[in-house]
Amino acid sequence: IINDVGYEMLFERKSEEGEETLFSLTDESDGIRSLINSLPLIMSVINYGKILVWDELETSLHPHVAELVLGLFNDPEVNKNNAQLLFTTHNLALMNSSKMRKDQLWLVEKQGGASHLISLDEFSSSQLKNNSPFAKWYYDGRLGGLPSINYSLVKDLFKEVKQEGNDG
């Protein structure tokens, strides 16, 4: 039945010479396939004003495509029913005051083996303004939520493993 009535999705690209070439979905990148597979869900969530929970939004998505998805949810002309996107990410480019408000951004801080959520909105306006460089300040450790990495300890472990491998 699928062969008789099924449709194959084709994508058009122009070559450097201006010729149109068709590609099947299987010939597209993981990012395009991920976006195409997610579009019906995104459209439904936005259309019905629901909540979409997406773990690691940037996985298999080009950073600009992740920004596109975020933009659709933040655009009142598109998101007329106030749908919400709740997502995790390691993409600092999304942590930008031009893309998100500070009340939309939360960090996870590990303390004593437990995870604690910190909203950027909890910072006072004198500490963190709506147009502050969120990603830079996060990366610099000013907002918390960074993993604690002891490079010297990791380096020593690698050296020890290398020595053990050479001894035996």
Side-chain angles (χ1 to χ4, degrees):
I1 294 175
I2 291 173
N3 290 336
D4 292 339
V5 296
Y7 294 96
E8 180 180 9
M9 200 178 306
L10 297 175
F11 298 86
E12 183 179 300
R13 300 276 191 275
K14 286 192 178 183
S15 68
E16 291 180 12
E17 296 80 32
E19 295 178 24
E20 295 175 355
T21 306
L22 296 178
F23 291 90
S24 71
L25 186 58
T26 57
D27 293 328
E28 289 291 349
S29 69
D30 289 344
I32 292 293
R33 287 196 309 266
S34 178
L35 177 64
I36 294 299
N37 290 330
S38 301
L39 277 176
L41 177 61
I42 293 168
M43 292 173 75
S44 177
V45 167
I46 288 176
N47 188 43
Y48 292 106
K50 301 294 183 181
I51 298 172
L52 175 59
V53 179
W54 195 325
D55 187 28
E56 297 191 6
L57 177 66
E58 75 281 357
T59 302
S60 295
L61 292 181
H62 186 281
H64 289 147
V65 176
E67 289 177 15
L68 167 78
V69 171
L70 183 59
L72 291 171
F73 278 87
N74 279 333
D75 188 332
E77 292 180 35
V78 174
N79 189 0
K80 294 178 181 178
N81 293 317
N82 299 312
Q84 294 184 26
L85 175 63
L86 175 63
F87 68 96
T88 63
T89 186
H90 294 103
N91 181 350
L92 292 183
L94 297 177
M95 202 174 177
N96 186 313
S97 60
S98 68
K99 294 174 184 55
M100 298 191 64
R101 300 181 317 267
K102 69 180 195 173
D103 67 302
Q104 294 176 305
L105 291 165
W106 291 72
L107 303 174
V108 177
E109 180 79 51
K110 299 259 184 172
Q111 295 175 343
S115 297
H116 301 276
L117 290 172
I118 304 165
S119 169
L120 293 192
D121 207 31
E122 293 176 25
F123 290 83
S124 71
S125 295
S126 62
Q127 285 181 291
L128 187 67
K129 301 194 180 333
N130 289 327
N131 61 352
S132 295
F134 304 143
K136 180 181 180 341
W137 288 7
Y138 167 76
Y139 193 79
D140 291 344
R142 294 172 64 174
L143 304 176
L146 287 178
S148 177
I149 299 171
N150 183 333
Y151 180 80
S152 296
L153 177 61
V154 173
K155 178 180 174 179
D156 290 344
L157 287 171
F158 269 79
K159 288 172 26 183
E160 184 178 312
V161 168
K162 183 177 179 185
Q163 284 179 338
E164 287 177 11
N166 291 338
D167 292 343

